[in-house]
Each structure stands twice: as C-alpha cells, then as structure tokens.
C-alpha cells in the first residue's frame, strides 16, 4: 500500500493532528498540521491475502473517526477534511500507488457502509481520486446522501474552492522560493496551498502545505525577503513546471514519499493537482536556463589551467571540478559562475559529502570517507574558485565576501563532520577581498 509506515497497529490511515507554528526558511510564520498518532483502532493486522478487506475497513474507521472529531468539537474543519481526503489517495490504486485498493472496490464498500462515513469515502474519490473513477464516485456520494438524512451537507462542498490570489516569496539571493495560492470555499472561509521551489533540484516543487491564506501569515519576515503578487495563471505554470521537473528526476516512479514526506503534509499531491486545475491556463514559467554543461566545463578547464596551490592535489581538484559541474546542472539557473551563501552552504554541506569523491571501483561519484588530501584540496581550491567566478561575473566585493564567509562556516562543518577536528583555514580564505 501507499504508506504502510504510517500505520500503527491498525490505527488511522491519516493521523490525528495538532496545530503548531514554525518559522520556515523564508522567515514566514506559518500554521500547519503536526502529525500526532493518538488514535488506535483495536484491529489486529491480518494475513497478506486479507489485506484488501482490512484496508477498506480501516478507511471506514478512519472516516468515522474524522467525523466523530467534528461532531465532538461542534465545528467542521474543512482543512482537515481536505487533508484527509487527499492523504487517503495513496491507499487507492493510481499510477503513483499501483498497489493500492481498486477504486471500484472502495466505492462499492462505501455504498455498502453508507451513512456519513460511506459518503465521506465516496466524496474523497469524487474530488481527489483517479479521474476515471470520479463520475461514479459522485453518483455514489449523492446516492448515499439521498438515502441517509444523517449525511452532513458540507460533504457536498468538499474540494470546491475559488482562486483568490497568488504570491511568491523569495530570499534576497533569489534562491529559495515559496509559491502560495489562496482559495475561498463556498462558506466564505479562505485557505492557502503552498509549495517550495527547490533551487538546487531543477526547480522541482516539494513541501506541499495546506493552511491559512497569505493574509493571515506573517509577512515574509527577515531582512531582504521579497513577497510579490503572482498572476494566477503564472502560479499554475510555475508549479506545473516544478511537477514536471520532479517527474524528470523519477519522483513519481521511485518512492515519491521520500521527497514529498519531507514537508509537513507530504500526501497533499492529490489536493495540489485538484487545486491547480482550478487556476487559469496560459501562464508563463521561468525560461529554460541559458547555461549548460559545455559552458560550465569551459570555465572549469580555464580555472584548472591556472595550476595547483600548496596543499592541493590533482586528482582531488579534478573531482571537485566534476562535482561542481554536476551540482550546478541541478540548480535552477545552471550557472556555474553564480554562487550565493545558500548555494555555497548546500554544495559544501550536502552535495559534496554525498557526491564529491570519485569511486574507481564503480566509476561514479558518491559518498566516501574523505581523506586529508581531499579535505585540504577543497579547503584551498573552493575559495579560489569563488574568487575566480566572482571575477568572471563582476561580482561586487561585498557579495564575494558573503560567499567566502559562508564557505568558511561550511568548510569548518565539513571537516568537523569528517574528522571531528576544526578546519585549518588556508590563506586564500583568510585574506578577505583578495583575488
């Protein structure tokens, strides 16, 4: 099934949540659902050949529990209803969850169960399920409503929303980006759906969230942050381009939960796609990067032609250059000469440890325990590269110093992680502003 790791002895498919606040990387004070496994159904896990019936029963109990929460509180939380309805799509057979239950079986079960829980199951497929199953699901939901007066009217409004506005928030370097689209439900309440645009992952979208609208969020927060209005059609184009980038990286085919679950609401893919379809078409996403691997390789060859410095080693220097090229081809602009503090930190602390050492056995670059030659080469050559790139781009001295300061901190962390000892800064890094 789609998310077996989230089950706890037969408990909720989607866990009960509590509201918390956090400051995201753009400084915004956002509210989201923090998952909390507190509800446990007294059901024993069955044998494999019984799992379909068990899963259908589990979905029913989950829907019943959600409805009981609303009845107990005296209020319907439509964010929670939407979240739950989107999340359970990972339990239903689609291209992304081929091992899920057949939609026809789920709908037949919903009709047998009837009542509010059956209507809730049918409504979730009618709005967020596979496209070819939605017409039957709508008929099933309406049939259940007509036959049972206890089915609440709000179930009919699930997924109905009118787009209001879109905003884009970026850091002062134009790297990290969040796109938020606000919607209004038929009852007049507003909510926001947001995604992050990964600057060092081909501008793919991750970290889907459902929460308050932008008007209820603290302004971007933090010096240099920029919040701008975004045309609704452009917002759709940007997010759809990010989804395409993710598919290009095999996100849909190779356990998408590895990426999407890193956000607070990792199973909102179905909701995101449904809300995107409500936006106008014809918008524009950023143009394809002008830089490519050949241009990057030319700059690297020129840099390497300047020779080695004391403490640098030829094989390690070539590996560093090869890894920088691979990293920048994953950046949203693919510009090997453009470096910012966030880019420096990501490269040195995340990308380089995982991909920086070339393995002669397998012919690929991947994680290895770094030795002293590798560390001293990176500590000396990478600051030289930052100066070289700054000179080629005409980067102001203050911006170069910001990059060097980020490199100092990240190189120290790299060495501490690798050896447990503080980094010994090379002269090239200690002399600020020299080229």
């Amino acid at each position: 099934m789609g998310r077996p790791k989230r089950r706890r002895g037969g408990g909720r498919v989607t866990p009960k949540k509590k509201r918390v606040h956090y400051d995201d990387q753009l400084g915004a004070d956002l509210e989201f659902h923090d998952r909390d496994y507190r509800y446990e159904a007294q059901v024993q896990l069955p044998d494999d050949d019984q799992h379909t019936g068990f899963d259908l029963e589990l979905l029913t109990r989950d829907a019943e529990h959600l409805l009981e929460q609303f009845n107990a509180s005296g209020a319907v939380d439509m964010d929670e209803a939407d979240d739950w309805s989107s999340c359970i799509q990972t339990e239903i057979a689609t291209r992304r969850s081929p091992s899920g239950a057949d939609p026809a079986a789920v709908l037949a079960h919903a009709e047998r169960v009837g009542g509010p829980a059956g209507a809730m199951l049918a409504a979730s497929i009618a709005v967020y399920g596979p496209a070819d199953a939605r017409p039957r699901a709508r008929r099933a939901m309406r049939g259940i409503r007509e036959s049972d007066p206890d089915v609440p009217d709000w179930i009919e409004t699930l997924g109905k929303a009118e787009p209001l506005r879109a905003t884009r928030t970026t850091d002062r370097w134009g790297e990290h980006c969040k796109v938020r689209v606000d919607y209004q439900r038929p009852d007049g309440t507003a909510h926001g759906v947001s995604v992050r645009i990964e600057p060092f992952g081909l501008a793919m979208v991750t970290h889907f969230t459902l929460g308050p609208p932008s008007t209820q969020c603290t302004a971007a927060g933090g010096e240099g942050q920029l919040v701008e209005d975004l045309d609704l059609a452009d917002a759709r184009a940007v997010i759809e381009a990010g989804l395409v980038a993710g598919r290009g990286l095999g996100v849909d085919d190779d356990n998408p939960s590895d990426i999407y679950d890193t956000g607070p609401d990792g199973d909102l893919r179905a909701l995101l796609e449904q809300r995107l379809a409500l936006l106008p078409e014809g918008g524009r996403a950023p143009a394809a990067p002008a830089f490519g691997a050949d241009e990057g390789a030319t700059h690297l060859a020129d840099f390497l032609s300047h020779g080695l410095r004391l403490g640098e080693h030829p094989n390690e220097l070539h590996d560093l250059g090869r890894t920088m090229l691979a990293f920048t081809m994953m950046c949203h602009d693919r510009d090997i000469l453009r470096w910012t503090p966030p880019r420096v930190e990501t490269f040195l602390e995340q990308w380089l440890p995982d991909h920086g050492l070339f393995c002669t056995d397998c012919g690929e670059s991947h994680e290895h325990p770094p030795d002293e030659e590798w560390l001293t080469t990176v500590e000396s050559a990478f600051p030289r590269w930052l100066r070289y790139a700054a000179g080629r781009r005409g980067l102001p001295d203050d911006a170069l110093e910001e990059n060097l300061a980020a490199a100092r901190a990240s190189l120290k962390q790299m060495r501490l992680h690798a050896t447990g000892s503080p980094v010994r800064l090379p002269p090239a890094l200690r002399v600020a502003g020299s080229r």
Side-chain angles (χ1 to χ4, degrees), residues 191-204:
H191 61 281
V193 176
S194 69
V195 301
R196 291 185 193 175
I197 308 296
E198 292 297 323
F200 314 123
L202 295 181
M204 64 181 291

Side-chain angles (χ1 to χ4, degrees), residues 4-12 37 39-46 54 58 61:
K5 63 183 179 182
R6 289 194 175 180
R7 298 187 178 173
R8 298 294 186 270
R12 297 190 68 197
Y37 296 97
Y39 168 69
E40 298 290 337
Q42 299 303 313
V43 180
Q44 298 298 316
L45 289 174
F54 170 76
L58 183 60
R61 295 194 180 205

Side-chain angles (χ1 to χ4, degrees), residues 15 24 71 83 91 114 118 127 151 161 179 255 262 274 312 316 341 374 393 403 434:
D24 73 357
N71 290 335
D83 179 282
E91 305 297 321
V127 177
V151 176
V179 174
N255 195 3
T262 58
Q274 187 266 350
E312 298 175 5
E316 284 71 14
W374 169 251
R393 297 188 75 237
N403 288 342
S434 62

Side-chain angles (χ1 to χ4, degrees), residues 108-413:
H109 179 75
E111 290 174 315
R112 286 195 301 272
V113 171
M120 189 68 191
L121 281 175
S124 70
I125 297 178
V127 177
Y128 300 116
D132 56 357
R134 292 180 186 181
R136 179 186 170 183
R138 284 191 289 270
R139 292 192 299 270
M141 176 192 64
R142 288 166 184 165
I144 296 171
R145 285 197 67 208
E146 291 171 359
S147 64
D148 192 329
D150 292 334
V151 176
D153 292 339
W154 62 261
I155 286 181
E156 184 78 38
T157 69
L158 187 72
K160 292 184 178 179
E162 179 184 356
L164 298 176
R165 68 187 67 84
T167 58
R168 174 166 48 202
T169 304
T170 56
D171 62 25
R172 65 188 180 92
W173 298 283
E175 298 281 29
H176 295 291
C177 172
K178 181 185 287 287
V179 174
R180 175 179 290 267
V181 184
D182 293 342
Y183 296 85
Q184 181 173 279
R185 294 190 174 95
D187 63 2
T189 60
H191 61 281
V193 176
S194 69
V195 301
R196 291 185 193 175
I197 308 296
E198 292 297 323
F200 314 123
L202 295 181
M204 64 181 291
V205 296
T206 64
H207 291 72
F208 311 151
T209 63
L210 170 64
S214 57
T215 53
Q216 296 178 17
C217 296
T218 304
E223 184 179 358
Q225 301 297 325
L226 173 66
V227 181
E228 59 181 343
D229 291 331
L230 190 62
D231 180 81
L232 287 171
D234 289 347
R236 175 172 181 168
V238 169
I239 297 174
E240 287 182 337
L243 292 172
V244 171
R247 287 196 291 271
L249 292 174
V251 170
D252 285 341
D253 302 323
D254 186 16
N255 195 3
S257 65
D258 286 348
I259 292 181
Y260 295 135
D261 280 354
T262 58
D265 288 299
D267 293 323
L268 291 182
R269 177 64 178 264
L271 183 143
L272 176 65
E273 292 179 342
Q274 187 266 350
R275 292 295 197 272
L276 281 181
L278 302 177
L279 299 178
E281 298 180 320
R284 294 178 297 177
F291 277 76
D294 290 343
E295 186 170 358
T298 298
H299 287 300
L300 281 172
D302 182 50
F303 173 73
L304 295 174
S305 70
H306 296 171
L308 300 172
R309 299 296 185 269
L310 183 64
E312 298 175 5
H313 303 270
N315 290 339
E316 284 71 14
L317 185 59
H318 280 82
D319 279 354
L320 174 63
R322 176 166 36 200
T323 309
M324 283 196 298
L325 182 60
F327 170 73
T328 53
M329 290 304 101
M330 291 291 292
C331 293
H332 59 93
D333 54 18
R334 297 188 181 182
D335 186 351
I336 200 169
L337 296 179
R338 182 175 180 269
W339 292 86
T340 63
R343 192 169 296 202
V344 168
E345 179 181 343
T346 300
F347 175 69
L348 291 177
E349 297 189 32
Q350 298 179 36
W351 185 272
L352 198 58
D354 290 341
H355 305 280
L357 291 178
F358 185 75
C359 177
T360 56
D361 294 331
C362 67
E364 296 181 356
S365 294
H366 57 80
E367 185 176 6
H368 286 277
D371 56 25
E372 187 62 25
E373 288 186 353
W374 169 251
L375 290 171
T376 57
T377 297
V378 175
E379 290 163 357
S380 171
F382 187 69
R384 286 202 301 114
W385 167 259
L386 291 179
R387 299 180 191 284
Y388 171 91
R392 292 297 183 272
R393 297 188 75 237
L395 193 68
D397 286 345
D398 58 345
L400 170 59
E401 183 50 40
E402 277 193 310
N403 288 342
L404 291 173
R408 281 193 291 270
S410 293
L411 287 170
K412 180 177 181 179
Q413 289 302 315

